[in-house]
Amino acid sequence: VRYNACKELYLFYEESNRDSALRYADLTLQIAKKNNRKLELVVALATKAYQTQSKGGYPEALKILWEAFEIAKNPKNDNPKTWSLFASSRFDGNNRLLSLAYTHHIFAILMWQTQNTEQELFHFKEARRISKEIGHAGRQMMAAMNLGRSYAAYLNQLDSALFFEQEGEQLAFQSGNKKYLGQIYSIMALIYYRKGDKDKAIEYYYKSIDWCIAERNYTNLSNGSYFGLTKFYLSEGPKDSALHYAIKNLETYRMLGSS
């Protein structure tokens, strides 16, 4: 019961307050460790790494993720009878591979934040491959969404990027995990802007704002929606709109407790 309570509290703060999210991630980790729950420990470690690296603790996050990989890659830790690994939902497939896919995903985010694009792409693709193999739509959605960003932002392969974002959008509705729809729509906005369709870009940026606020995804509200609109209006005008969204971005960023 304590474990589930901590996970639900973590999810509430995950993308809205880094300090609170890290506190509940650490409590979940302690409970999993105390009860010798191997796969729950993997997810808890990766979750703590996500919040740690989001606050700039890259070396510590790397160390935590290597520990998670060591457990998740070992077939001896296969266990179909786990506590719920993600929120209150239970997965009937291979939970070890599910925890491994999640670890690949968080490692890919660390590689993105430290500008190692080759490793970023590799680990997001691994996360997507494993998630698709075990039939976990939610994790596949997250990997597809991030691959779309990578293909748009760094490789400028816009058709491939749009393919992944459309896959992510479909899986978000299919899985019921709509928390990151705002991020999907902000990436779509970037793709359409780079394709030269400014009207569609604006449409998706505003759609992104609506979903981010509705789902309390303030991380993407800051670095996707508001930041994207700030850059858009700096390039296209009016400059007053750029200032408006820059101020809203700063307010949101401070609320997150990011370092």
Side-chain angles (χ1 to χ4, degrees):
V1 172
R2 290 180 63 232
Y3 170 85
N4 284 330
C6 286
K7 287 194 76 66
E8 293 293 343
L9 283 162
Y10 168 78
L11 285 172
F12 182 81
Y13 289 113
E14 183 178 32
E15 304 295 357
S16 61
N17 187 289
R18 293 292 179 207
D19 292 333
S20 295
L22 184 57
R23 175 172 178 249
Y24 288 111
D26 199 43
L27 284 171
T28 307
L29 175 60
Q30 291 175 33
I31 295 168
K33 190 174 289 186
K34 181 179 179 181
N35 289 274
N36 196 30
R37 308 291 304 194
K38 294 293 187 182
L39 300 185
E40 291 85 344
L41 181 58
V42 171
V43 173
L45 285 165
T47 298
K48 183 177 180 178
Y50 174 59
Q51 294 300 331
T52 300
Q53 66 199 35
S54 295
K55 290 173 65 66
Y58 302 137
E60 184 183 352
L62 181 62
K63 183 179 178 181
I64 294 169
L65 286 167
W66 282 131
E67 184 180 350
F69 271 127
E70 187 175 348
I71 302 168
K73 287 181 176 180
N74 190 343
K76 292 181 180 178
N77 292 321
D78 275 321
N79 181 10
K81 296 181 180 179
T82 63
W83 294 340
S84 61
L85 296 182
F86 295 95
S88 55
S89 60
R90 189 170 295 280
F91 178 58
D92 294 327
N94 190 313
N95 280 292
R96 182 181 65 81
L97 291 180
L98 174 59
S99 70
L100 180 60
Y102 182 56
T103 307
H104 275 293
H105 185 92
I106 302 302
F107 192 88
I109 294 175
L110 177 60
M111 294 298 98
W112 163 52
Q113 292 180 333
T114 53
Q115 300 179 356
N116 189 333
T117 305
E118 182 180 348
Q119 286 296 304
E120 173 193 344
L121 286 169
F122 173 80
H123 286 279
F124 277 136
K125 286 178 179 178
E126 278 297 282
R128 179 175 178 266
R129 178 188 66 77
I130 295 169
S131 301
K132 195 171 183 180
E133 179 183 306
I134 63 176
H136 198 284
R139 293 251 50 90
Q140 185 185 337
M141 176 272 292
M142 296 292 290
M145 172 187 74
N146 281 279
L147 279 168
R149 183 200 59 222
S150 302
Y151 275 96
Y154 308 128
L155 303 178
N156 203 35
Q157 295 181 20
L158 301 180
D159 290 337
S160 295
L162 190 57
F163 168 82
F164 283 120
E165 293 311 318
Q166 288 171 340
E167 177 182 302
E169 180 186 27
Q170 180 183 358
L171 289 168
F173 285 107
Q174 179 184 322
S175 66
N177 182 5
K178 301 174 186 176
K179 186 172 185 173
Y180 293 92
L181 266 173
Q183 184 166 341
I184 289 170
Y185 290 140
S186 69
I187 297 167
M188 283 185 169
L190 172 65
I191 294 167
Y192 283 119
Y193 182 62
R194 291 195 172 181
K195 280 176 168 283
D197 193 336
K198 297 175 187 176
D199 290 339
K200 215 159 190 177
I202 283 291
E203 175 191 340
Y204 275 95
Y205 273 129
Y206 286 122
K207 199 172 182 179
S208 170
I209 289 173
D210 289 341
W211 275 101
C212 285
I213 292 173
E215 296 292 326
R216 290 179 52 83
N217 188 341
Y218 300 139
T219 301
N220 190 73
L221 183 63
S222 169
N223 63 30
S225 313
Y226 289 155
F227 185 57
L229 278 168
T230 300
K231 290 196 296 182
F232 179 91
Y233 284 119
L234 278 172
S235 297
E236 306 297 330
K239 296 294 190 290
D240 286 348
S241 294
L243 179 60
H244 171 74
Y245 286 108
I247 291 170
K248 290 182 80 67
N249 186 17
L250 180 59
E251 291 170 348
T252 307
Y253 187 77
R254 283 174 172 165
M255 181 179 64
L256 278 166
S258 303
S259 60

